């Protein structure tokens, strides 16, 4: 915990200085970090990688999630997938801005959350969104899990990409930010590959798996393609809670369960 | 069980981006990039500072509201309000309790919202109302067809999804950034920041020795970042984001304590500091 002197200094800077003041920003580092839901885990279920594959991929992962929630409180975020790609391509062609793409992409992640929600309804798992996060503790306590659409709620206020109009912060970032703000014990990305590779293994046969890596190393490698959103790496550098994430293959039964138990079964990316 | 791969093709919607990770820089680059449209090319986004204007109370706010009221006849405006001293207080409480940046962002956003409700109430007679984020994001066109202006919360709707900042725990996306992002998304004609200083100075005019602080009438966003000033009248993140701006290539910081400045800035006059994207 920060000592009282630090806290006093911070309070006085907060009242007297501009929020752009570097001394104030440094001083806010002295504040302690309280984890809101330290026992919960965030699991992101990929859109294109899992849900778009339908029953063959989704039923087994639902079974695994239902079993896992007995032991681990789960916040299950969903990706968007192929319909979002169609929307992005169409909207870009129409000259629409990133904010509009964010909004319509978000709806697709929401559909996928609704789909998972219907499949998990008999196990008492609700779908939450927006203000529903206010009751997340109750859902986790009573139902063991809750599902949310993974897109962050940036809508028309999304950051602008350097090139083109595709929203830079999408469902990987959205799910990770949930893990970070709630101080969750783990963040697991469930995709359709064994982990992060040196190139996209779907298009490059020479791609090899990277079992563990730091974000700085990964940024330095400047890979042409990635299994998680690039801007998430930059966010992870400043993580206070969600300092590691694991990418696992959801098409291989059991890996998600083992990752939740703390085993290294895919690629672990760590902040430092 | 069916092999998932055999089903893959039938589960795709054909599009230029089909099956992409959306992360491959070369593949995601559009073949024929389309210019981004300005959705509301006549829009003016006017940001009213929290600490710089709102916290000063009646003496600062009422003359400014009078100016805005007069401007309603000639300009369509989205008026975005900042948070101010109550946000500082709630930051202090929440930081002491160890709460994360996302919680701080949600709490501070409420303060900017309350300031917005007050400005909207003062202009209600002229048909101006406060719009929540969802209306600003989806129904602004309709509201501005019915009324010359609307008031909104300057904070962007990041809240629990706020980024952990590079340094410390203060939320980086605040009023200035929210106003910039919404202005760019709608392709606004002008983005004006109403503060309590004449513009951007080489030093903080509130603390610098007499005559030391020099006003910059015009400065590049990147140049201003490189100057690494200890404080700025506008959030640094706006300067960083201007690099990727599609439409908002210039913003103006004006002194709202000087009567007539906002009116002149809305008319396109240079009365404060113009910050330009390079």
């Amino acid at each position: 915990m920060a000592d009282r002197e630090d806290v006093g200094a911070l309070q006085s800077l907060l009242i007297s200085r501009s929020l752009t003041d570097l001394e104030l920003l440094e001083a806010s580092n002295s504040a302690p970090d309280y984890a809101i839901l330290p026992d919960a885990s965030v699991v992101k279920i990929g859109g294109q990688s899992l849900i778009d594959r339908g029953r063959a991929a989704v039923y087994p992962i639902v079974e695994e999630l239902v079993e896992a929630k007995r032991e681990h409180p789960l916040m299950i975020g969903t990706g968007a997938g192929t319909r979002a790609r169609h929307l992005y391509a169409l909207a870009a062609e129409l000259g629409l801005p990133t904010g509009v793409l964010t909004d319509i992409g978000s709806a697709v992640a929401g559909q996928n959350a609704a789909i998972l929600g219907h499949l998990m309804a008999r196990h008492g798992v609700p779908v939450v969104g927006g203000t529903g996060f206010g009751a997340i503790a109750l859902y986790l306590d009573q139902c063991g899990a809750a599902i949310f659409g993974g897109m962050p709620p940036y809508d028309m206020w999304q950051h602008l990409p350097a090139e083109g109009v595709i929203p830079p912060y999408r469902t990987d970032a959205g799910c990770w930010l949930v893990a970070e703000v709630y101080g969750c014990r783990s963040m697991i990305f469930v995709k359709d590959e064994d982990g992060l590779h040196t190139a996209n293994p779907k298009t490059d046969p020479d791609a090899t798996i990277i079992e563990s890596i730091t974000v700085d190393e990964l940024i330095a490698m400047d890979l042409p393609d990635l299994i998680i959103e690039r801007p998430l790496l930059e966010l992870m550098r400043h993580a206070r809670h969600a300092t590691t994430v694991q990418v696992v293959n959801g098409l291989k039964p059991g890996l998600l369960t083992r990752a939740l138990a703390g085993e290294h079964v895919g690629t672990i990316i760590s902040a430092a | 069980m069916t092999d998932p791969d055999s089903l893959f093709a039938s589960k795709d919607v054909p599009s230029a981006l089909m099956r992409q990770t959306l992360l491959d820089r070369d593949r995601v680059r559009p073949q024929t990039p389309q210019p981004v449209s300005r959705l509301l090319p006549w829009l003016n986004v006017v940001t009213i500072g929290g600490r710089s204007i709102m916290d000063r109370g009646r003496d600062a706010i009422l003359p400014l509201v009078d100016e805005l009221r007069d401007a309603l006849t000639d300009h369509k405006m989205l008026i975005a309000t900042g948070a101010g001293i109550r946000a500082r207080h709630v930051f202090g409480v929440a930081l002491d309790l160890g709460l994360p940046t996302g919680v701080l962002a949600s709490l501070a956003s409420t303060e900017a919202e309350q300031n917005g409700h007050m400005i909207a109430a003062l202009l209600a007679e002229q048909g101006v109302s406060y719009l929540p984020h969802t209306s600003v994001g989806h129904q602004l066109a309709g509201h501005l067809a019915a009324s010359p202006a609307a008031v909104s919360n300057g904070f962007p709707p990041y809240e629990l999804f706020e980024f952990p900042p590079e340094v410390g725990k203060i939320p980086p996306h605040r009023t200035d950034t929210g106003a910039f992002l919404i202005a760019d998304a709608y392709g606004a004609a002008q983005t004006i920041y109403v503060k309590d200083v004449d513009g951007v100075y080489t030093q903080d005019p509130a603390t610098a020795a007499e005559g030391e602080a020099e006003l910059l009438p015009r400065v590049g966003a990147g140049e201003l970042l490189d100057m690494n000033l200890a404080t700025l009248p506008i959030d640094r993140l706006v300067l960083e984001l201007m690099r990727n701006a599609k439409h908002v290539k210039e913003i103006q910081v004006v002194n709202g304590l000087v009567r007539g400045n906002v009116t002149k800035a809305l008319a396109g006059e240079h009365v404060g500091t113009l910050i330009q994207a390079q």
Side-chain angles (χ1 to χ4, degrees):
Chain A
M1 291 289 282
D3 62 44
R4 304 310 302 172
E5 210 170 293
D6 281 349
V7 171
L10 173 58
Q11 300 290 349
S12 104
L13 288 171
L14 268 173
I15 297 303
S16 62
R17 300 286 181 90
S18 155
L19 290 182
T20 61
D21 187 280
L22 297 172
E23 202 182 331
L24 164 58
L25 299 183
E26 289 286 354
S28 68
N29 260 327
S30 68
D33 290 317
Y34 176 89
I36 297 172
L37 293 170
D39 298 326
S41 292
V42 177
V43 175
K44 186 203 159 186
I45 306 296
Q48 174 167 258
S49 53
L50 285 159
I51 296 171
D52 288 349
R53 291 173 181 271
R55 166 203 299 247
V58 176
Y59 278 18
I61 210 75
V62 165
E63 265 175 49
E64 223 175 312
L65 288 168
V66 168
E67 206 48 50
K69 81 179 178 78
R70 294 172 194 277
E71 262 188 73
H72 306 284
L74 299 180
M75 294 160 85
I76 304 166
T78 53
T82 193
R83 297 185 304 285
R85 283 161 177 77
H86 183 266
L87 278 166
Y88 293 157
L90 179 57
E93 204 173 286
L94 297 173
L96 296 175
T98 298
V100 171
L101 272 70
T102 304
D103 192 35
I104 60 187
S106 173
V108 179
Q111 288 175 310
N112 286 340
I115 288 171
L116 269 192
H118 292 307
L119 295 175
M120 297 187 76
R122 66 176 67 170
H123 306 286
V125 180
V127 178
V128 302
T131 52
F133 273 100
I136 196 84
L138 174 71
Y139 296 132
L140 296 188
D141 187 62
Q142 296 296 305
C143 322
I147 301 166
F148 64 97
M151 201 77 166
Y154 304 156
D155 281 10
M156 290 292 271
W157 292 262
Q158 170 78 264
H159 276 217
L160 302 152
E163 268 191 294
V165 286
I166 293 179
Y169 295 91
R170 302 190 297 269
T171 55
D172 289 344
C175 290
W176 181 84
L177 284 162
V178 169
E180 169 69 9
V181 75
Y182 285 107
C184 296
R185 62 186 285 275
S186 58
M187 170 71 237
I188 299 167
F189 291 98
V190 184
K191 308 252 178 177
D192 62 351
E193 295 292 347
D194 292 336
L196 168 73
H197 288 68
T198 52
N200 185 349
K202 289 189 179 61
T203 51
D204 187 344
D206 296 329
T208 56
I209 190 158
I210 299 168
E211 285 182 351
S212 62
I213 192 164
T214 67
V215 290
D216 284 349
E217 288 165 349
L218 195 46
I219 291 170
M221 283 174 80
D222 194 29
L223 296 174
D225 203 350
L226 271 186
I227 198 163
I228 61 168
E229 293 161 18
R230 215 170 257 116
L232 173 53
L233 302 177
E234 191 55 44
L235 292 181
M236 278 188 71
R237 292 175 108 155
H238 313 301
R240 301 221 161 223
H241 297 286
T243 51
T244 64
V245 305
Q246 186 166 192
V247 182
V248 305
N249 193 337
L251 301 179
K252 294 187 175 166
L255 291 188
L256 168 60
T257 308
R258 288 171 59 193
L260 282 166
E263 283 185 53
H264 184 171
V265 292
T267 296
I268 293 183
I269 304 171
S270 49
Chain B
M1 198 178 90
T2 329
D3 170 17
D5 280 327
S6 69
L7 290 167
F8 193 91
S10 65
K11 303 273 192 275
D12 267 321
V13 180
S15 78
L17 298 170
M18 183 174 82
R19 294 196 64 176
Q20 283 201 36
T21 59
L22 301 184
L23 295 165
D24 185 324
R25 294 193 193 95
D26 295 325
R27 299 189 65 203
V28 92
R29 192 171 292 138
Q31 298 297 317
T32 47
Q34 296 298 317
V36 181
S37 314
R38 287 184 186 263
L39 303 185
L40 302 177
W42 35 257
L43 178 66
N44 295 284
V45 175
V46 179
T47 303
I48 302 182
R51 232 165 85 103
S52 51
I53 302 289
M54 295 301 299
D55 289 351
R56 291 178 181 268
R58 181 184 180 93
D59 291 348
I61 297 170
L62 291 185
L64 176 61
V65 168
D66 284 343
E67 262 192 71
L68 291 171
R69 189 179 290 116
D70 290 341
L72 293 174
T73 44
D74 294 322
H75 304 284
K76 292 278 191 188
M77 287 182 281
L78 177 65
I79 301 164
T81 51
I85 191 74
R86 298 184 309 278
R88 308 307 185 88
H89 178 265
V90 82
F91 282 157
V93 173
L95 283 169
D96 191 41
L97 296 172
L99 293 171
T101 298
V103 171
L104 269 63
S106 306
L107 294 167
S109 173
T110 306
E111 300 302 350
E113 181 180 4
Q114 302 326 307
N115 285 340
H117 281 300
M118 288 191 275
I119 295 293
L122 294 171
L123 292 167
E125 197 184 341
Q126 284 74 40
V128 177
S129 32
Y130 177 85
L131 300 181
H133 282 125
T134 164
S135 302
V136 174
H138 297 101
Q139 287 110 27
L140 188 60
H143 283 280
L144 291 182
S147 164
V151 183
S152 79
N153 180 350
F155 269 58
Y158 280 40
E159 311 205 345
L160 293 178
F161 293 78
E162 174 61 289
F163 297 2
E166 278 173 51
V167 180
K169 296 179 74 171
I170 306 289
H173 294 87
R174 302 187 297 267
T175 302
D176 294 345
T177 306
F180 165 80
L181 287 168
I182 197 72
D184 198 81
Y186 277 119
Q190 297 194 95
T191 306
I192 298 165
Y193 291 91
V194 184
K195 305 277 181 173
D196 61 352
V197 285
D198 290 336
V200 182
Y201 285 83
T202 52
Q203 290 181 43
D204 187 344
T207 52
E210 186 73 25
E212 286 290 294
E214 203 184 311
L215 181 70
L216 300 166
R218 201 183 290 266
V219 66
E223 195 187 336
L224 192 50
L225 281 171
D226 290 343
M227 289 169 73
N228 227 353
L229 300 176
T231 67
L232 282 172
I234 187 155
D235 291 339
R236 277 187 192 81
L237 189 51
V238 174
L239 307 177
E240 287 167 23
L241 294 177
M242 279 184 82
R243 196 178 307 141
N244 290 343
K246 306 287 179 195
H247 302 298
V248 178
K249 305 284 191 187
E250 184 178 272
I251 59 179
Q252 187 166 195
V253 178
V254 305
N255 191 342
L257 303 179
V258 177
R259 199 134 196 190
N261 269 354
V262 173
T263 309
K264 288 181 192 160
L266 280 165
E269 285 181 48
H270 179 177
V271 288
T273 295
L274 290 172
I275 303 176
Q276 285 149 333
Q278 265 93 18

